[in-house]
Amino acid sequence: MKSLADQSVTLLKGVGARSAEKLAKLGITTLQDVLFHLPLRYQDRTRVHPIGALRRGDQVVIEGEVDLAEVKFGRRRSLMVHLSDGTGSLFLRFFYFSNAQRQNLSRGVRLRCFGEVRSGPSSLEMVHPEYQRLSDDEPLMVEDTLTPVYPTTEGVHQLTLRGLIGQTLELLDRSPAALQELLPENLLQRFQLSSLLQAVCFLHRPPPDVDQQLLLAGEHPAQQRLAFEELLAHQISLLTVRAEHLRIKSTAFAEQNRLKQALLEALPFSLTEAQLRVVSEIEDDLAQSKPMQRLVQGDVGSGKTVVSALAALQAIGAGSQVALMAPTELLAEQHLNNFSQWLTPLGVEIAWLTGRLKGRAREQVLQRIESAEVQMVVGTQALFQDDVSFNDLGLVVIDEQHRFGVHQRLALREKGQQQNRTPHQLIMTATPIPRTLAMTAYADLDLSVIDGLPPGRKPVTTAVLSSSRRDEVVARVRAACAEGRQAYWVCTLIEESEVLQCQAAEETERLLAEALPELNIGLVHGRIKQDEKEQVMGQFKSGALDLLVATTVIEVGVDVPNASLMIIENPERLGLAQLHQLRGRVGRGSAESHCLLMYQSPLSQQAKQRLAILRETGDGFVIAQKDLEMRGPGEVLGTRQTGEMQLRIADLIRDQEMLDDVRDGAAMVIKQDPTAATALVKRWLGDRVDYGRV
Ligand code: ADP
Ligand code: MG
């Protein structure tokens, strides 16, 4: 029995090369794809409704007799057909009609129509209904199931799709085994799931008494059955990647050493309870000879850096090397500063490697890395170029991971591998990842959460106001700086164009310099030369500058405790999580801090509500969850373009309650039936399955 997944859609009647191409745009290439192309909604053509009981918005079948048909010349010429059935009457309205059509719709003719009921000027109407003439000798049958309405695309008609799906269902009727059930019987029972065959057939041909609300919401058990299987396949894929990776060995590092002790003693603060907990989770991992894959989540300012420094020292103390990678040069530099400050006094050699380092200087650094003269390398992605080879890389730390995406994370894993050893991986992110995503897109990682801030932090007071109050805002900046505080002014633009964004920042700086002549103002954006950027940041950090005008380049990591005011222009153009990151640049010192979100009027009510979330909460998890609900997982993960976690049927928000079951189910399938596990991944992820080996 050939599986539907191995049969091309061109096997169906009426599908040639041309239409196959168009169907491919709907993601349909095999007969299995045809079956998984589910209806958006349904029409009820299973019974004839009395006209007297119709309500506006109903989509129904009616039958009646024509009392009158006439052409009206109003604003638009139209053919109006008055139809009644003894319970009531309505008009059929046609803007386009032929003479023949008009003559056919004469008084006394009986019609069956399907259409949407609208209210017209004098009574209810159906505009351009589908209709058929009824004759006494051959009674028309009604449908006995609901009629599916499928998502279509240009050149693929609704009726074509219905036809193709009809053909496929017939095929399935003759040989049901062509749609292989991949879920083991005991799993179906445990989670009370129907068979795949039942679920699919039901969704294409639901009985008239089905709860349509449930179907529309995607919450019918038949839909949930499919969503469950899809999420299960994703989960299995990530767990498989993880299991494969765990077969490779890493170096085990003793939990305690002299260097770690020395750093803890030298720190001007003691670690918070949350930090201590995460540090000990990492210690345990690093003491194993299987690779650590740990994601440390901690809100902005929660103190992730020092946690990673302790992890680094566990490896370095045992004679191994550590690489720390940040997404931007600015951040990498900041890490370099922190690590130098903490580790250099302990005798640790630190090198610096970014794309900017060229020629001889670069060669020297590479040589020192290879010969193990340096124990720690801080940099950007440049760390993982082909010509960089470590003597003995024991740990890779990746900061602000969400910017890299799953593919890059997995690619890095590969790069770090030497012979049959792989470095431990510690990933740090300030974007709180909602549980739903943690359990799906990150299922191959263990999770640690730093769920508290160091003592003494004050929440940032946030206000949302219109740009018409710009003068007041400028006055706030003046007042804050007069008190010896510092401020950020962040310019954003919706265009992806960096050039425009930088121009906007330059213009803003000019205007602010005019309005605030007494202040020292600096400017950083993506097109300012690195040396100059460093210089400006340095001046801001030392307090020589009062106000820093910047683009979103300062989004992550920058740490200037004396800055207590942040203005964000056009916040409506950014995601909530991103705004929360930006806002995290203030509130790092002892002063009351403020963030002013200055939107461009007019702003929709919905957009205002969205911004209000930031005013109401400083909890990054709540904010990320809202962001996820409003904008989808791609935005939150920063992988919108790569199409990761693109689901066909499941919806992470709608279906989040089944995730616990999905996780248990995935483990069950992998254990009981590895062949089915592989087949599931192939069915739902197809070629994308290979991302474990990019
Ligand atoms: P993030 O988690 O955003 O990367 P950082 O690691 O940059 O946060 O830490 C923010 C600031 O808090 C730094 O100045 C850091 O030295 C300081 N810090 C970290 N841990 C503590 C602590 N336990 N007590 C006081 N300050 C701390
Ligand atoms: Mg950080």
Side-chain angles (χ1 to χ4, degrees):
M1 176 77 269
K2 212 169 171 193
S3 152
L4 290 184
D6 299 327
Q7 302 187 53
S8 162
V9 65
T10 51
L11 290 171
L12 297 178
K13 270 181 266 142
V15 182
R18 285 275 300 281
S19 36
E21 224 168 85
K22 287 177 189 152
L23 286 167
K25 287 206 186 113
L26 289 170
I28 299 178
T29 54
T30 68
L31 293 188
Q32 179 180 280
D33 297 330
V34 175
L35 272 192
F36 288 171
H37 193 68
L38 297 184
L40 285 172
R41 54 191 175 83
Y42 301 88
Q43 296 168 346
D44 186 353
R45 298 168 185 247
T46 62
R47 61 202 173 96
V48 177
H49 285 250
I51 295 178
L54 296 184
R55 278 165 316 173
R56 196 162 54 116
D58 286 348
Q59 277 203 353
V60 289
V61 179
I62 53 170
E63 276 179 13
E65 195 173 303
V66 176
D67 326 306
L68 183 69
E70 56 178 359
V71 177
K72 288 249 165 101
F73 297 89
R75 249 187 314 157
R76 276 177 82 184
R77 195 176 81 111
S78 54
L79 172 63
M80 298 293 287
V81 178
H82 196 252
L83 194 77
S84 45
D85 70 351
T87 70
S89 64
L90 53 50
F91 280 107
L92 311 179
R93 184 191 286 271
F94 299 88
F95 294 112
Y96 309 98
F97 53 93
S98 62
N99 265 334
Q101 208 175 358
R102 179 180 156 194
Q103 270 145 28
N104 271 328
L105 294 171
S106 56
R107 186 180 166 83
V109 165
R110 291 186 49 229
L111 296 177
R112 172 180 298 173
C113 310
F114 176 83
E116 185 177 334
V117 179
R118 304 196 196 167
S119 44
S122 57
S123 71
L124 293 178
E125 299 184 355
M126 274 188 184
V127 179
H128 282 273
E130 298 169 31
Y131 70 91
Q132 285 165 292
R133 268 180 86 141
L134 294 173
S135 56
D136 295 331
D137 33 326
E138 40 169 338
L140 270 175
M141 305 295 287
V142 283
E143 306 273 338
D144 48 14
T145 59
L146 296 184
T147 307
V149 179
Y150 295 103
T152 55
T153 183
E154 211 187 316
V156 183
H157 198 270
Q158 185 63 237
L159 291 177
T160 312
L161 278 171
R162 275 187 207 153
L164 298 181
I165 288 157
Q167 284 188 52
T168 313
L169 288 175
E170 272 169 38
L171 233 148
L172 205 53
D173 229 16
R174 271 177 270 134
S175 41
L179 182 64
Q180 210 191 339
E181 179 61 63
L182 295 174
L183 302 189
E185 188 53 42
N186 60 345
L187 184 142
L188 292 176
Q189 268 172 19
R190 170 159 165 202
F191 298 113
Q192 296 178 352
L193 302 170
S194 61
S195 75
L196 181 64
L197 185 67
Q198 273 172 346
V200 170
C201 293
F202 184 94
L203 291 173
H204 289 294
R205 301 272 185 271
D209 60 352
V210 70
D211 183 342
Q212 279 216 52
Q213 277 325 99
L214 219 52
L215 278 176
L216 268 182
E219 285 167 2
H220 190 279
Q223 290 160 318
Q224 298 274 293
R225 161 65 180 79
L226 289 172
F228 188 94
E229 185 174 316
E230 180 173 33
L231 290 172
L232 192 79
H234 277 268
Q235 188 78 8
I236 289 172
S237 141
L238 283 167
L239 291 179
T240 310
V241 166
R242 181 190 169 100
E244 274 174 22
H245 190 66
L246 282 178
R247 275 195 222 122
I248 311 169
K249 292 261 171 284
S250 290
T251 313
F253 304 121
E255 292 199 18
Q256 299 309 332
N257 64 45
R258 186 182 51 78
L259 294 176
K260 279 174 76 175
Q261 215 43 52
L263 174 61
L264 285 171
E265 278 161 23
L267 285 176
F269 48 76
S270 46
L271 298 186
T272 64
E273 229 161 86
Q275 282 171 318
L276 285 172
R277 177 167 32 79
V278 173
V279 164
S280 102
E281 284 164 357
I282 296 170
E283 272 169 1
D284 286 351
D285 283 356
L286 290 178
Q288 315 282 323
S289 58
K290 60 180 195 216
M292 169 170 78
Q293 291 298 323
R294 189 166 286 280
L295 176 67
V296 172
Q297 233 176 279
D299 211 343
V300 278
S302 61
K304 294 181 289 294
T305 320
V306 69
V307 169
S308 72
L310 287 164
L313 287 179
Q314 190 168 339
I316 293 169
S320 206
Q321 288 174 302
V322 175
L324 185 155
M325 182 172 81
T328 65
E329 298 218 347
L330 204 68
L331 276 176
E333 258 168 60
Q334 193 156 300
H335 280 306
L336 179 71
N337 293 340
N338 276 323
F339 277 83
S340 304
Q341 187 194 329
W342 290 332
L343 271 50
T344 309
L346 307 178
V348 175
E349 282 291 320
I350 305 181
W352 160 248
L353 189 64
T354 73
R356 266 194 314 132
L357 200 64
K358 296 258 155 63
R360 206 155 147 57
R362 180 181 161 86
E363 264 160 45
Q364 259 173 7
V365 169
L366 293 185
Q367 200 272 323
R368 293 179 68 219
I369 295 173
E370 188 156 11
S371 67
E373 259 174 80
V374 298
Q375 289 95 48
M376 168 116 207
V377 190
V378 177
T380 56
Q381 279 102 318
L383 280 179
F384 289 92
Q385 271 154 19
D386 285 338
D387 60 345
V388 185
S389 76
F390 289 83
N391 180 284
D392 172 22
L393 183 60
L395 168 68
V396 175
V397 180
I398 306 174
D399 194 14
E400 305 301 353
Q401 187 270 336
H402 65 287
R403 295 197 158 196
F404 291 114
V406 183
H407 289 273
Q408 275 158 307
R409 175 174 92 229
L410 297 172
L412 278 182
R413 245 183 232 179
E414 293 278 298
K415 285 253 167 83
Q417 257 168 48
Q418 308 152 303
Q419 292 104 35
N420 41 16
R421 285 207 167 256
T422 188
H424 296 281
Q425 243 184 42
L426 177 67
I427 294 160
M428 302 190 288
T429 179
T431 300
I433 295 157
R435 208 178 88 89
T436 39
L437 289 182
M439 286 179 58
T440 49
Y442 292 90
D444 59 327
L445 300 177
D446 293 311
L447 184 62
S448 292
V449 182
I450 306 183
D451 51 6
L453 296 179
R457 296 274 164 78
K458 298 212 179 99
V460 180
T461 312
T462 300
V464 180
L465 46 89
S466 154
S467 59
S468 61
R469 293 168 63 188
R470 198 182 179 90
D471 289 349
E472 280 170 58
V473 173
V474 170
R476 288 279 290 275
V477 174
R478 177 180 293 125
C481 295
E483 283 175 23
R485 300 275 153 214
Q486 291 165 280
Y488 295 97
W489 190 294
V490 184
C491 307
T492 67
L493 267 188
I494 193 161
E495 283 86 351
E496 302 280 297
S497 156
E498 205 195 354
V499 181
L500 286 180
Q501 197 169 55
C502 298
Q503 279 172 0
E506 277 165 12
E507 177 66 9
T508 305
E509 192 239 8
R510 203 179 54 73
L511 292 171
L512 287 172
E514 267 170 30
L516 299 163
E518 74 275 27
L519 298 188
N520 295 315
I521 304 180
L523 174 67
V524 289
H525 59 58
R527 289 164 66 86
I528 284 181
K529 280 218 199 66
Q530 190 61 28
D531 314 348
E532 204 179 320
K533 215 168 9 183
E534 267 168 48
Q535 205 185 348
V536 174
M537 287 308 300
Q539 286 169 341
F540 189 62
K541 210 163 175 163
S542 73
L545 293 173
D546 306 296
L547 174 63
L548 186 67
V549 178
T551 56
T552 48
V553 296
I554 57 150
E555 183 183 336
V556 278
V558 177
D559 191 25
V560 181
N562 189 46
S564 66
L565 175 62
M566 173 173 283
I567 323 299
I568 305 177
E569 284 201 75
N570 309 318
E572 66 274 19
R573 291 167 177 178
L574 300 182
L576 293 182
Q578 200 183 357
L579 288 167
H580 179 64
Q581 294 283 313
L582 277 170
R583 175 172 66 175
R585 301 307 106 216
V586 293
R588 305 193 141 229
S590 51
E592 284 292 340
S593 293
H594 298 268
C595 176
L596 309 181
L597 302 175
M598 192 166 71
Y599 64 83
Q600 200 67 45
S601 294
L603 194 59
S604 73
Q605 206 50 37
Q606 197 199 355
K608 273 186 204 159
Q609 273 169 11
R610 203 168 76 89
L611 292 179
I613 294 168
L614 287 170
R615 194 179 58 213
E616 282 149 21
T617 180
D619 184 332
F621 284 85
V622 175
I623 291 164
Q625 180 67 32
K626 294 274 186 205
D627 224 15
L628 178 66
E629 284 164 20
M630 292 182 187
R631 305 195 313 154
E635 293 281 349
V636 179
L637 292 174
T639 57
R640 189 168 31 125
Q641 289 90 350
T642 65
E644 273 165 28
M645 283 314 288
Q646 266 183 10
L647 299 168
R648 301 170 73 154
I649 292 169
D651 177 322
L652 281 181
I653 309 297
R654 183 192 66 207
D655 303 330
Q656 53 183 306
E657 260 139 51
M658 64 170 77
L659 287 174
D660 283 321
D661 287 351
V662 165
R663 200 181 39 193
D664 296 349
M668 264 172 90
V669 179
I670 291 174
K671 192 153 159 246
Q672 284 179 28
D673 192 347
T675 320
T678 313
L680 277 166
V681 172
K682 181 153 188 297
R683 172 180 283 169
W684 291 98
L685 282 86
D687 301 333
R688 287 183 290 160
V689 55
D690 235 20
Y691 65 59
R693 270 156 247 106
V694 268

